[in-house]
Amino acid sequence: MPVHNADIATIFEEIADLLEIRGDNPFRIRAYRNAARSVGEFGREFKTLIEAGAEPPKLPGIGADLSAKIHEIVTTGHCAALDKLRKELPPGITELLKVPGLGPKRVQALDRELGVATLAQLKQAARAGHIRELAGFGARTEERILESLAVHAEQAQRVKLAVATQYAESLIEYLKRARGVRLVVVAGSYRRMKDTVGDLDILVTARPGSTVMERFVAYDEVREVLAQGETKSSVVLKSGLQVDLRLVPAESYGAALHYFTGSKAHNIAVRRLAQARGLKLNEYGVFRGERRVAGETEESVFAAVGLPLIAPELREDRGEIEAARAGRLPQLVTLADLRGDLHVHTKASDGRNTIEEMARAARAQGLSYIAITEHSRRLAVTRGLDPQRLARQVDEIERLNAGLTGITLLKGIEVDILEDGTLDLPDSVLRRLDVVIAAVHGRFDLPRRRQTERILRALDNRHVNLLAHPTGRLIGAREPYDVDMLRVVRKAKSRRICLELNAQPERLDLDDVMCQMARDEGVLVSINSDAHSTFDFANLRYGIGQARRGWLGAAEVANSRPLAALKPLLNRDIT
Ligand code: DGT
Ligand code: CA
Ligand code: CA
């Protein structure tokens, strides 16, 4: 069975969860969590490396024991250590950890005191009022559990785009090798670059007699075949991701691609335009009476209703149809537009590579500048820099710049915004840097007014250039903090500060709607990798996807400018 890095990471996470519920050694738990992150973010598949007989790379935090486990997982699909732990604890208990407010201690208590070990049992116990009776829980906790169960049910099963990409790309490669296949494309929310996807919708065109359907259901990552037909099949992969495959005739390809790309709201609006012209639009084509007038390409479908092609990322019925009619569609930013990256970590704080390694990797991605922006001292767990260490790094950057060609290093910092809105390093230090990123890393729980005031105050600092991951969300794990984003955006505008679109797949923060807000208010966005290793520059593609969903063109993206054009923007001392 093929194993992706995401699968290895899932196994390590589950081991960490189970160890935590069992009350194991915290260092051991942390080792598994770090390993999960290392593997999950690693840019090449371990499977491929190991199968090719290559020496697997040495990742920090992955010693001999974890290395052996990776090898075991890749070659057998199993991890004996996990199987053993699972036998010791009730099945499904790790699901309980995902409920906000339930840590390992509480999960343990629920299991021991109430025999609650599944989400269904949790819900039942909460409804019956049993949870409030447990020591350390209370009525308020019980209420919160019920609330989060409702939210959880809604979000359950959505997969982050970067994870879905791993599954989609290998499946597509596999399908392309089927006899008679012509085109294979993933439609749906995946094509619209939504931050998470519910399932994959794949369209295929093929010559008559193609074996693609048989090949699809025989894919060795398939856990369950939900339906198998001549033109449509659905499966669930072992990872839990559902995949729908449709075989469409070539003359309907464009209409089907448009239909299954969605979104539903966009489709409905386009169909209305067709109806107004006396046309019928469905997944088979555009028809006048019985006669097909379009459908082979997406362009032909749009043209039939009087529109230019609308980029998939815009198809959310958020004004794209009106803009298309008026000839005012934005020219969306592309990956090739990015000239630099303003948020990069190295070994000096919690990154994995040296400055020079990061510089070379960025250059290989076609970037011509990066800002080295470590955490500041407050963030001790990341070995954040104090003024002395920062000064030494600045010297090192100057030395490296003298020797590097094709890429320029900017001196920066990701400075913590303290609870009162002051910054973790003094102005005398910040003023020596090219790029100052201000970032919230704690006290996510402040009430709206105080959170907003805190951030506005930080943006009043004359050295700040950029606000990192402005809403603090972690997809599926942490809601944005409660903050008045319109006021933040307007402050950024008045202070000529850029807002970050952090491209880490679990952040994508700013999100699409917030990008649109920044654009409307005239604030520049910087699409940054927040790279912690040389592989993370690859995540910029997800940042671009989100930016495109937020209607951004190159002109609205700060780091699409060459360094010479960016410099005046960064030099805020003149204001
Ligand atoms: P997801 O999978 O939840 O991330 O979101 P989508 O957008 O991929 O939705 P999905 O997989 O349910 O359906 C794929 C596309 O098919 C959807 O974006 C639009 C189209 N579609 C599905 N159901 C309907 C419908 O009832 N009416 C119309 N007009 N289009 C539909
Ligand atoms: Ca879908
Ligand atoms: Ca679907």
Side-chain angles (χ1 to χ4, degrees):
M1 149 185 177
V3 175
H4 299 283
N5 290 353
D7 303 316
I8 304 170
T10 305
I11 288 176
F12 285 168
E13 279 294 349
E14 188 176 345
I15 292 178
D17 287 344
L18 291 171
L19 289 174
E20 206 165 354
I21 293 172
R22 217 176 59 170
D24 218 277
N25 175 346
F27 290 101
R28 194 161 165 228
I29 296 163
R30 203 149 150 67
Y32 276 106
R33 295 229 189 273
N34 288 341
R37 188 164 172 215
S38 277
V39 174
E41 289 176 352
F42 185 57
R44 298 189 49 200
E45 296 264 31
F46 272 90
K47 174 185 59 165
T48 319
L49 292 172
I50 289 174
E51 279 171 4
E55 183 67 20
K58 294 229 176 316
L59 298 184
I62 302 204
D65 175 55
L66 286 165
S67 246
K69 287 203 170 66
I70 292 174
H71 198 271
E72 179 196 1
I73 296 166
V74 166
T75 50
T76 70
H78 281 276
C79 178
L82 174 61
D83 296 343
K84 184 160 169 284
L85 273 169
R86 278 184 177 162
K87 280 198 202 103
E88 290 172 24
L89 291 155
I93 196 160
T94 49
E95 281 299 305
L96 295 183
L97 278 183
K98 296 187 187 134
V99 179
L102 287 189
K105 289 247 148 48
R106 284 184 161 168
V107 169
Q108 209 176 35
L110 285 166
D111 179 33
R112 291 206 180 134
E113 309 291 325
L114 296 177
V116 163
T118 65
L119 288 176
Q121 289 166 344
L122 179 68
K123 193 167 175 181
Q124 213 174 17
R127 283 198 173 144
H130 293 322
I131 288 177
R132 65 179 70 193
E133 292 158 10
L134 281 186
F137 281 77
R140 177 75 195 108
T141 309
E142 188 175 82
E143 233 171 80
R144 284 231 321 269
I145 287 175
L146 279 171
E147 281 162 17
S148 31
L149 280 175
V151 176
H152 190 83
E154 235 170 70
Q155 292 181 348
Q157 309 306 343
R158 292 196 71 82
V159 176
K160 286 191 267 292
L161 182 60
V163 173
T165 301
Q166 287 182 22
Y167 293 105
E169 285 180 348
S170 39
L171 177 52
I172 287 171
E173 279 317 303
Y174 169 86
L175 290 173
K176 280 186 172 161
R177 295 198 299 270
R179 178 153 48 83
V181 159
R182 286 200 170 110
L183 295 170
V184 183
V185 60
V186 187
S189 50
Y190 181 90
R191 184 164 179 247
R192 303 198 311 278
M193 297 291 282
K194 219 170 127 105
D195 48 15
T196 60
V197 306
D199 68 359
L200 294 177
D201 307 282
I202 302 184
L203 297 187
V204 173
T205 60
R207 284 191 289 277
S210 164
T211 54
V212 66
M213 275 299 170
E214 291 77 7
R215 190 169 166 86
F216 175 56
V217 297
Y219 187 45
D220 56 5
E221 285 185 47
V222 167
R223 178 173 76 201
E224 193 188 348
V225 178
L226 300 175
Q228 182 180 0
E230 295 276 299
T231 60
K232 175 174 191 266
S233 298
S234 290
V235 302
V236 180
L237 300 183
K238 287 178 178 137
S239 63
L241 184 63
Q242 184 177 324
V243 187
D244 299 337
L245 184 87
R246 289 179 185 81
L247 182 58
V248 302
E251 67 271 20
S252 296
Y253 175 71
L257 183 57
H258 179 258
Y259 183 91
F260 292 110
T261 295
S263 68
K264 199 168 157 179
H266 167 91
N267 286 356
I268 290 169
V270 174
R271 196 175 320 129
R272 229 178 263 130
L273 288 184
Q275 280 159 356
R277 294 176 166 230
L279 298 169
K280 197 175 93 195
L281 169 66
N282 58 30
E283 61 265 51
Y284 303 105
V286 186
F287 300 87
R288 183 173 299 283
E290 294 298 303
R291 193 170 61 90
R292 179 201 305 275
V293 295
E296 193 174 341
T297 64
E298 271 194 325
E299 283 89 344
S300 75
V301 173
F302 281 111
V305 297
L307 297 178
L309 183 81
I310 299 175
E313 295 91 337
L314 294 179
R315 301 183 197 168
E316 298 290 344
D317 195 21
R318 286 199 215 117
E320 74 277 13
I321 292 171
E322 295 75 3
R325 286 176 88 163
R328 278 204 303 269
L329 280 175
Q331 177 80 36
L332 298 178
V333 63
T334 68
L335 193 55
D337 290 325
L338 293 189
R339 303 299 186 85
D341 188 337
L342 296 180
H343 189 166
V344 173
H345 294 269
T346 77
K347 270 185 161 163
S349 64
D350 59 345
R352 311 237 169 85
N353 294 94
T354 63
I355 300 176
E356 190 165 354
E357 286 163 352
M358 294 306 277
R360 291 184 191 286
R363 191 177 57 189
Q365 290 271 317
L367 301 179
S368 61
Y369 57 88
I370 57 172
I372 302 299
T373 53
E374 311 291 7
H375 292 289
S376 60
R377 56 193 171 189
R378 163 60 69 99
L379 223 54
V381 289
T382 68
R383 305 205 312 120
L385 303 192
D386 59 20
Q388 290 74 34
R389 288 179 61 214
L390 178 59
R392 280 204 297 277
Q393 189 181 63
V394 163
D395 291 344
E396 190 188 350
I397 289 175
E398 281 171 358
R399 205 167 51 242
L400 283 167
N401 263 338
L404 282 166
T405 53
I407 185 130
T408 305
L409 297 164
L410 301 176
K411 296 165 278 189
I413 191 80
E414 180 180 10
V415 64
D416 244 50
I417 301 177
L418 305 181
E419 188 175 337
D420 64 357
T422 60
L423 302 178
D424 189 23
L425 290 169
D427 283 4
S428 59
V429 170
L430 300 181
R431 63 187 292 277
R432 292 192 55 203
L433 302 171
D434 302 314
V435 180
V436 174
I437 308 180
V440 167
H441 287 118
R443 289 314 311 267
F444 304 113
D445 60 336
L446 290 180
R448 185 178 179 86
R449 239 183 66 97
R450 275 178 64 200
Q451 194 70 277
T452 306
E453 294 302 331
R454 170 196 194 188
I455 294 171
L456 295 185
R457 181 167 180 199
L459 299 190
D460 270 327
N461 180 293
R462 64 198 302 254
H463 302 296
V464 170
N465 302 113
L466 195 65
L467 177 64
H469 36 73
T471 75
R473 75 159 175 172
L474 291 176
I475 296 171
R478 187 171 73 211
E479 291 294 305
Y481 35 72
D482 196 5
V483 61
D484 185 341
M485 275 304 288
L486 186 57
R487 286 186 68 198
V488 171
V489 170
R490 289 189 171 154
K491 171 66 86 176
K493 166 79 181 166
S494 75
R495 302 283 308 145
R496 299 201 306 135
I497 287 172
C498 304
L499 296 179
E500 175 175 80
L501 193 177
N502 189 298
Q504 287 191 22
E506 64 275 14
R507 287 194 184 273
L508 294 175
D509 176 13
L510 302 174
D511 71 5
D512 47 3
V513 174
M514 290 296 162
C515 282
Q516 226 171 345
M517 186 198 274
R519 177 182 191 262
D520 292 346
E521 297 291 325
V523 172
L524 291 186
V525 171
S526 182
I527 304 173
N528 300 331
S529 67
D530 193 358
H532 285 69
S533 85
T534 51
F535 301 107
D536 295 349
F537 294 112
N539 288 333
L540 287 169
R541 67 192 271 202
Y542 304 111
I544 289 287
Q546 197 71 191
R548 290 169 63 89
R549 288 178 58 78
W551 290 57
L552 300 186
E556 287 133 353
V557 174
N559 52 328
S560 70
R561 306 185 177 198
L563 187 53
L566 180 72
K567 276 266 170 82
L569 226 125
L570 294 176
N571 186 2
R572 307 193 47 248
D573 287 348
I574 51 174
T575 60

